[in-house]
Amino acid sequence: MNIKILALSAALLACPAMAFSQETNDSTEFIDTGVMYIDPLFEYPIAPEEISGFREKCNWLVENFWNPLDLKSKDAVDQAKINHAFKVYATTVQYADKDKVTASVDKLMKSLQKNPMLLYQMTKAAEENIYGPRAEFWIDELYARILKAAMSNKKFPKTKRPRYEEQLKKLESSMIGNYPEKFDFVRPNGDQAQFFPMSTPTIIIFGDPDCDSCRMGRLRMQSNVTFSKALADGKVNVLFIIPDPDEGWQSKVTDFPKNWTVGASDTVADIYDIREIPEVYVIGADGKMLNKHLGILDAMSTVLSLLENSK
């Protein structure tokens, strides 16, 4: 990696949009992944020097980032370039105030309502950067907001709509702060069962018995004395659910803890947002989704903190 890339990488850690926009002044090409150079779609804005605070700079960038882009042009733009622009924007979003981000996204999507081609391309860029398998980070609430705006537009390409409608449905059914959807599953003995939010903090692990991370997480949870006692006392529930199970899955869960609820479901992946295995959710005592996309140990720590704070 050359000195210029190292310098850009260091600047990116400070505030990504600023790093890329300063290179614009030197007519330098832009990096996307550290190895791929991309010309920018437009000149990324630079926060005014009189704004000194880091968060304040990012707030300004979020509010003004898309101003240089011609949102009225009906011509398709280079998707790689709009993906790159959204990546810079999304990275800055992480450090800005929530109300500024919300206002920025609402303004952007409203500006695209009469431009279905660019609306679709922006939605695709959002998927690439904050939802899909290549995304460096997931921002579910922001992506759901973008999808709602896109799906409310009758001019959004009909052939592309089902994909995003399905994503939105899954996000809304498992959004932090919402009541998670019920789902059916089958126990190892063949009994039918259904999950629904209860008044006991609950960890749901959507996993695979053959998954190394699932196996190690389970062993660490079992070896944690405090957590094991809370589980034995009925102060916490643990569900291990296998999505889209293979035949014979029952034989692979015989050594699971008896006080875990273990089962399999061939429909839950159509309801819940399960993008990785294990996919771990924490449901609070109020029955609402408290957190998601956690590691198994992080989920355990979250529940233990809940129990400690409730004393």
Side-chain angles (χ1 to χ4, degrees):
M1 184 177 289
N2 61 37
I3 293 175
K4 182 175 288 293
I5 294 177
L6 284 171
L8 281 171
S9 298
L12 184 61
L13 291 174
C15 202
M18 295 174 63
F20 285 103
S21 60
Q22 291 202 11
E23 286 300 303
T24 302
N25 297 333
D26 298 329
S27 298
T28 304
E29 290 184 324
F30 293 74
I31 59 170
D32 181 27
T33 64
V35 295
M36 179 180 177
Y37 289 83
I38 295 179
D39 249 344
L41 181 62
F42 55 89
E43 183 173 336
Y44 301 155
I46 305 173
E49 292 183 3
E50 57 267 26
I51 300 178
S52 57
F54 173 75
R55 182 174 291 275
E56 288 73 18
K57 284 183 182 292
C58 288
N59 282 341
W60 186 94
L61 287 165
V62 163
E63 289 180 302
N64 294 277
F65 186 83
W66 299 106
N67 289 351
L69 179 61
D70 183 1
L71 299 174
K72 294 181 180 180
S73 173
K74 298 301 194 296
D75 296 330
V77 300
D78 187 317
Q79 188 65 47
K81 291 184 177 182
I82 197 169
N83 286 354
H84 182 272
F86 200 97
K87 179 178 182 179
V88 177
Y89 172 73
T91 308
T92 306
V93 156
Q94 296 182 93
Y95 307 106
D97 291 327
K98 183 178 179 180
D99 61 331
K100 301 294 185 183
V101 174
T102 299
S104 169
V105 169
D106 288 349
K107 178 183 176 182
L108 172 65
M109 299 307 287
K110 183 178 181 180
S111 300
L112 293 171
Q113 288 302 301
K114 295 182 179 180
N115 192 342
M117 175 58 71
L118 191 54
L119 174 64
Y120 165 64
Q121 289 194 280
M122 191 68 72
T123 304
K124 189 175 180 181
E127 178 184 21
E128 177 75 13
N129 285 287
I130 60 175
Y131 179 84
R134 289 186 295 270
E136 294 182 8
F137 42 82
W138 292 336
I139 312 178
D140 292 353
E141 187 175 355
L142 179 63
Y143 187 55
R145 198 173 191 90
I146 289 171
L147 289 181
K148 284 181 183 179
M151 294 301 97
S152 68
N153 191 320
K154 295 181 180 180
K155 295 182 179 180
F156 193 91
K158 292 183 179 180
T159 57
K160 308 296 184 182
R161 184 177 290 273
R163 172 189 184 86
Y164 295 111
E165 287 178 336
E166 181 180 5
Q167 290 177 356
L168 180 58
K169 177 183 177 182
K170 291 181 180 181
L171 283 171
E172 289 183 329
S173 70
S174 52
M175 187 69 69
I176 292 175
N178 291 352
Y179 291 103
E181 294 288 333
K182 300 176 182 179
F183 64 86
D184 297 321
F185 65 96
V186 59
R187 299 177 186 273
N189 64 2
D191 289 346
Q192 298 295 319
Q194 184 182 72
F195 163 77
F196 53 89
M198 295 173 284
S199 59
T200 304
T202 301
I203 296 174
I204 306 178
I205 304 170
F206 294 109
D208 184 333
D210 294 327
C211 161
D212 289 338
S213 296
C214 300
R215 186 181 301 109
M216 291 304 298
R218 172 166 59 88
L219 293 175
R220 293 287 294 277
M221 290 177 80
Q222 287 180 261
S223 63
N224 186 295
V225 175
T226 304
F227 185 79
S228 295
K229 186 177 187 309
L231 188 61
D233 292 342
K235 295 181 179 180
V236 59
N237 295 324
V238 175
L239 278 74
F240 188 96
I241 303 297
I242 306 170
D244 300 321
D246 294 327
E247 188 175 348
W249 64 270
Q250 297 88 341
S251 64
K252 298 179 180 180
V253 297
T254 55
D255 61 342
F256 274 55
K258 301 304 179 184
N259 51 8
W260 283 27
T261 298
V262 180
S265 173
D266 56 7
T267 58
V268 71
D270 297 324
I271 303 171
Y272 273 52
D273 175 30
I274 303 175
R275 276 174 269 170
E276 61 182 0
I277 293 294
E279 180 71 79
V280 184
Y281 291 82
V282 174
I283 315 298
D286 59 357
K288 294 182 179 180
M289 187 71 69
L290 182 65
N291 216 331
K292 60 191 293 192
H293 307 318
L294 296 174
I296 294 176
L297 298 185
D298 289 334
M300 179 176 65
S301 296
T302 298
V303 168
L304 289 177
S305 295
L306 278 179
L307 297 178
E308 183 64 29
N309 294 333
S310 66
K311 291 181 179 179

